[in-house]
Amino acid sequence: MSVSVQQADFDIGAEIDALMAGRGDIGAVATFTGLVRDMNEGSGVTAMTLEHYPGMTEAALADIVEQAKARWDILAVRVIHRVGTLRPADRIVLVVVAGAHRGEAFAACEFIMDYLKTRAPFWKREDTPAGSRWVDARESDDSAAARWQQD
Amino acid sequence: MSVSVQQADFDIGAEIDALMAGRGDIGAVATFTGLVRDMNEGSGVTAMTLEHYPGMTEAALADIVEQAKARWDILAVRVIHRVGTLRPADRIVLVVVAGAHRGEAFAACEFIMDYLKTRAPFWKREDTPAGSRWVDARESDDSAAARWQQD
Amino acid sequence: MTMKIKVLYFAALREALGSSGETVELPEGATTLAGVRAVIAGRGGAWTALAQMKNLRAAVNQRMADPDDAVTDGDEVAFFPPVTGG
Amino acid sequence: MTMKIKVLYFAALREALGSSGETVELPEGATTLAGVRAVIAGRGGAWTALAQMKNLRAAVNQRMADPDDAVTDGDEVAFFPPVTGG
């Protein structure tokens, strides 16, 4: 299973090892890990709660991975996104892309993150000293995703 | 120490944890791991030996990291490059870049790898069933590095 | 024939509506996502959030959808703010 | 005054020369990297590899250098094929 939505934390090294197991054709592994920061938009963040749309989340992530596989010559992909309540410095999301060469592994990893940020149904709510608030979508995420559009 | 040249293997998760230790301002960690493939240019590879230029290697890597830090708003970098004899599926190189946001972490990580490939004095020799051979530099590595040139 | 669909609400929209979802019977003529949205917002009160919330996104049968996309009997429709995961 | 420099060879070049390095006394007029290379290649025999090897790279005092770069007494010069790490 290349996509997981879970409350539990993940182990990056173990996830890479699992992708590599038994194969010698992988020359490049690019990963991205997203983490909870203790500040956002000028306020301290004490906790973050991730809501999602069960069913659609998994389908959206699987679709993003399929798009990446269709577009780049990559060998294996793993995506894990956590849900529930997290604390500063906790891991939120992991994307691992393995390929023969680095250029395609990097591009596919960044593509998956950019698409995930705009197309996977997750929503963050932050707890700050002033109360709880929903995180606003960033314009920069839309433009990051838009640059992968093909004509 | 942000740069190491060593025979010993490395633990990606432990390296990320060390960069993160005690800080809550990191929102994005991009990593790249290069590995020994069991095939190259149509021949089976049974082992690979990495030669380097002690002294210059560390200086070149430190310089590449400084360039990345000057260019992108990133918070922490770790580079490990192994030397000596390695086997297929062994890790060769690790680059970890931590930042507040993903775009800069991705760009700096790819930049460091592209520069390392063309400016750090390492040379690979492969053992194949037909004997031992030095790996030829790839034209694509020069063009990958060249795209980061600023006017 | 009356069309019945399942409608789900998420995140800030769920809180504004005080509902995470419901079964909705659609009046004749409401055959698109935009139509469904107008029907629900037309109830007034808190439901107007569905018309007023900026940049509202939607899915039909768990796929991102546009206002003109068709909605038919038995579909699962969801409304939510722009996503902010990752 | 005679200039003495340290010269290092790496990888395929080291193997072709059968040497990983030496101290070289430079004749007058050999004041650039290109000059150093010509002096050593001019010994003939295996040393011609230094002139013939394609795309040879070099460093002066452990920094990548160009053929026109100056070489002075006490410098550490290195010649090697294009790097292939990572």
Side-chain angles (χ1 to χ4, degrees):
Chain A
M1 181 58 179
S2 71
V3 163
S4 301
V5 179
Q6 62 188 45
Q7 282 214 290
D9 195 11
F10 47 78
D11 177 329
I12 299 167
E15 294 298 335
I16 296 175
D17 288 348
L19 278 193
M20 302 275 306
R23 56 195 303 171
D25 54 348
I26 293 173
V29 176
T31 77
F32 178 82
T33 309
L35 304 121
V36 181
R37 291 189 301 142
D38 58 11
M39 288 285 286
N40 191 27
E41 316 245 319
S43 304
V45 173
T46 53
M48 172 176 282
T49 302
L50 275 138
E51 179 172 333
H52 75 123
Y53 180 174
M56 179 172 167
T57 321
E58 292 81 354
L61 294 178
D63 180 56
I64 291 163
V65 169
E66 284 316 304
Q67 285 189 49
K69 284 184 172 170
R71 193 149 165 178
W72 287 283
D73 189 13
I74 52 180
L75 297 166
V77 176
R78 180 82 171 106
V79 177
I80 303 176
H81 202 298
R82 296 178 71 190
V83 290
T85 298
L86 304 174
R87 307 274 160 197
D90 279 357
R91 288 174 273 264
I92 304 169
V93 61
L94 173 68
V95 176
V96 182
V97 178
H101 302 292
R102 76 185 181 289
E104 307 216 89
F106 270 121
C109 188
E110 194 164 9
F111 167 87
I112 289 169
M113 272 310 301
D114 285 350
Y115 263 60
L116 184 158
K117 282 263 181 188
T118 53
R119 304 191 66 87
F122 293 100
W123 299 273
K124 287 173 176 166
R125 201 182 63 223
E126 292 173 340
D127 296 339
T128 75
S132 174
R133 65 183 183 197
W134 290 96
V135 174
D136 275 334
R138 293 168 63 207
E139 185 107 33
S140 61
D141 286 331
D142 278 334
S143 47
R147 74 196 154 116
W148 299 103
Q149 298 284 358
Q150 288 171 314
D151 295 324
Chain B
M1 180 58 179
S2 71
V3 164
S4 300
V5 179
Q6 62 189 44
Q7 282 213 292
D9 194 9
F10 46 79
D11 177 329
I12 299 165
E15 295 299 335
I16 296 174
D17 288 347
L19 279 194
M20 300 276 306
R23 57 195 305 172
D25 54 347
I26 293 174
V29 176
T31 78
F32 179 81
T33 308
L35 304 122
V36 181
R37 289 190 300 142
D38 58 11
M39 287 286 286
N40 191 28
E41 316 245 319
S43 303
V45 174
T46 54
M48 171 176 285
T49 301
L50 275 138
E51 179 170 332
H52 76 124
Y53 179 175
M56 179 172 167
T57 321
E58 292 81 355
L61 293 178
D63 180 56
I64 291 164
V65 170
E66 284 315 304
Q67 286 189 49
K69 284 183 172 170
R71 194 150 165 179
W72 287 281
D73 188 14
I74 52 180
L75 298 167
V77 176
R78 180 83 171 106
V79 177
I80 304 175
H81 202 298
R82 297 179 69 190
V83 291
T85 298
L86 303 175
R87 306 276 160 197
D90 279 357
R91 286 174 275 264
I92 304 168
V93 62
L94 174 68
V95 176
V96 182
V97 178
H101 302 291
R102 75 185 183 289
E104 307 218 89
F106 269 122
C109 188
E110 193 163 12
F111 167 88
I112 289 169
M113 272 309 302
D114 285 350
Y115 264 59
L116 185 158
K117 282 262 180 189
T118 54
R119 304 190 66 87
F122 294 100
W123 300 273
K124 287 173 175 166
R125 202 182 63 224
E126 291 173 340
D127 294 340
T128 74
S132 174
R133 65 182 183 197
W134 290 96
V135 174
D136 275 333
R138 292 167 64 208
E139 184 107 33
S140 61
D141 286 330
D142 278 333
S143 46
R147 74 196 153 117
W148 299 103
Q149 300 283 358
Q150 287 170 316
D151 294 323
Chain C
M1 194 201 92
T2 322
M3 293 208 313
K4 264 193 201 173
I5 61 169
K6 185 176 169 189
V7 183
L8 301 174
Y9 310 112
F10 290 97
L13 179 65
R14 172 178 55 71
E15 288 186 345
L17 300 177
S19 167
S20 61
E22 56 179 318
T23 298
V24 175
E25 283 193 26
L26 292 180
E28 217 155 311
T31 56
T32 64
L33 200 46
V36 172
R37 184 174 170 177
V39 164
I40 301 171
R43 296 170 182 168
W47 301 102
T48 58
L50 239 129
Q52 284 154 5
M53 198 170 271
K54 256 179 50 181
N55 299 320
L56 205 69
R57 301 289 198 267
V60 174
N61 297 327
Q62 306 193 349
R63 297 190 71 91
M64 290 285 186
D66 294 316
D68 292 343
D69 286 356
V71 173
T72 61
D73 193 48
D75 279 354
E76 177 177 303
V77 168
F79 293 102
F80 41 79
V83 305
T84 55
Chain D
M1 194 202 91
T2 322
M3 295 209 309
K4 263 192 199 172
I5 60 169
K6 184 177 168 188
V7 183
L8 303 173
Y9 310 112
F10 290 96
L13 179 65
R14 171 178 56 71
E15 288 186 346
L17 300 177
S19 167
S20 60
E22 55 178 318
T23 298
V24 175
E25 284 194 23
L26 291 181
E28 217 155 312
T31 58
T32 64
L33 199 47
V36 173
R37 183 176 171 175
V39 165
I40 301 171
R43 297 167 181 168
W47 301 102
T48 56
L50 241 133
Q52 285 156 3
M53 197 170 272
K54 256 179 48 180
N55 300 320
L56 206 68
R57 301 286 197 269
V60 175
N61 298 326
Q62 305 193 350
R63 297 190 70 90
M64 290 285 184
D66 294 317
D68 292 343
D69 287 355
V71 173
T72 61
D73 193 46
D75 279 352
E76 176 176 305
V77 169
F79 293 102
F80 42 79
V83 305
T84 55

